[in-house]
Structure formats: structure tokens, C-alpha cells
Amino acid sequence: MRDRTALKPLSVAAVLMLAIAFPLYARAQDANALKARALVDAAIKMSDSDAAVKLLWQATDIAPADDDAYVYLGLYYNSRSDPTNVVKVYQKLVKYQPKQGSAYLNIGEAYMSFSPPKTDDALVYYRKAYEVDPKNTFAALRIGQVLAQSGQRDDALKFLKIALGDSAKNPTIASEAEKTLKQMGAL
């Protein structure tokens, strides 16, 4: 039979190393977040948008889970009607923050802004947003609208009724759902 007491000193040493390393790791993460925030702040103040975009991308590399730089990059590329880069921005964010429902919605919206809209791609991301947050009526609305456009009436009705049911909290979303349901002849 093997002597298990020989493993105990190693386990204690491993625990001690982790106890020392974790605060150092946390401080390094905090330092990276501060560096990234400084880059974002500097980018916001710049008048040279190309240089600002470079700083924002650097910030996403330094602190990839911090969403500030992604938001500004998304706004920049949206203002330039550049859905390809909007998709890239938010795909990078969801890599590091897979529970970020709004990022999936932004990707879906970007796919819908292509000419012609890339509805199949958008639907994947709208569904992911809804999976992450099943109470997200905007995701339900968009899923319903895309399904209605593609002729999937029964599935569309399900999601549009979810969006319609939240009229007290989100009257704009409910109004859009009602409009689509009327166009489908379902109301």
C-alpha cells in the first residue's frame, strides 16, 4: 500500500503557492484594467479617429473582458456603416464574456444591416442572446421578426407574443411585435 502522507507536504505547498499567487494575479488583472481604461480615456479625447481606434483595440487586448473599449469600437464602426467590423468587435467580446446578451444582440443587428441582410447569421446571434437571457423581449422580438420574414409562422408567433406580453416594461418593443403580428394577420 502506498504511503499517502508523502502527498500532504506537496498539497500544503501547492495551497501556499496559490495563496501567494492569487493576490498577485488579481493585482495584475486590476493593473491591466487600469491600463485599458487609460487607453479608452485617451482614445475618447483624440481627434484622430484612426489612432483612437488603434488605442481601443489595444485596450481589448490588455483587458479583453472589460467591455468599455468594445462599446466605443462598436459605436465607431456603426457610425461608419461598417457591419463587418461591428461583428468582429462583439465576437471578440463574447469570446471573453459569453454571458453578455447585448453583445450577441449587437452582432445580430450588424448582420441585419448588411445589404442584403444576413438573416440566417443574425438569427443565430438573436437566439444566443435569448438563450443567455430568456427574459430579453428585444431578442424575442428580433427572433420573431426574422422567423416571420422567412415564413416560419408558428415559431414567429411564439416569440412575437413573448415580446408583445411585456408592454408595461417595454412599450416600444411590444408595439413593434404588435405591428409584425398584424402584418402576419395574427391580430
Side-chain angles (χ1 to χ4, degrees):
M1 185 163 193
R2 222 169 125 188
D3 180 16
R4 294 181 188 257
T5 58
L7 294 177
K8 286 186 181 178
L10 180 60
S11 297
V12 170
V15 169
L16 287 173
M17 286 182 359
L18 284 174
I20 293 168
F22 185 75
L24 294 174
Y25 173 77
R27 278 196 296 262
Q29 292 300 97
D30 289 344
N32 285 344
L34 289 173
K35 286 178 195 172
R37 185 67 226 170
L39 289 174
V40 170
D41 290 342
I44 292 169
K45 295 173 185 170
M46 295 180 98
S47 58
D48 179 354
S49 54
D50 290 335
V53 167
K54 286 179 185 175
L55 288 182
L56 292 169
W57 278 113
Q58 283 179 328
T60 68
D61 291 337
I62 292 170
D66 186 5
D67 60 1
D68 285 346
Y70 298 101
V71 171
Y72 287 107
L73 283 166
L75 289 170
Y76 172 79
Y77 290 123
N78 242 340
S79 73
R80 301 286 190 269
S81 299
D82 185 350
T84 301
N85 277 317
V86 173
V87 168
K88 288 177 187 176
V89 166
Y90 288 107
Q91 282 179 333
K92 184 173 181 180
L93 177 59
V94 297
K95 179 179 173 183
Y96 296 99
Q97 287 196 29
K99 300 290 186 197
Q100 180 71 268
S102 62
Y104 294 111
L105 287 171
N106 285 329
I107 295 169
E109 292 294 291
Y111 278 125
M112 291 302 287
S113 66
F114 278 88
S115 185
K118 295 184 176 188
T119 54
D120 290 342
D121 293 324
L123 185 58
V124 169
Y125 287 96
Y126 290 143
R127 285 187 185 278
K128 186 65 180 171
Y130 190 75
E131 178 186 317
V132 168
D133 180 8
K135 293 181 181 182
N136 189 321
T137 54
F138 184 73
L141 171 67
R142 288 298 194 238
I143 292 168
Q145 289 173 326
V146 171
L147 291 173
Q149 287 175 2
S150 67
Q152 298 177 49
R153 181 180 171 81
D154 292 339
D155 288 337
L157 289 173
K158 174 184 146 189
F159 286 100
L160 291 168
K161 286 180 181 178
I162 291 168
L164 181 64
D166 197 23
S167 59
K169 277 197 218 173
N170 295 303
T172 305
I173 291 170
S175 174
E176 282 292 312
E178 182 178 6
K179 178 181 167 187
T180 304
L181 286 164
K182 283 180 180 176
Q183 289 170 346
M184 294 172 63
L187 280 184

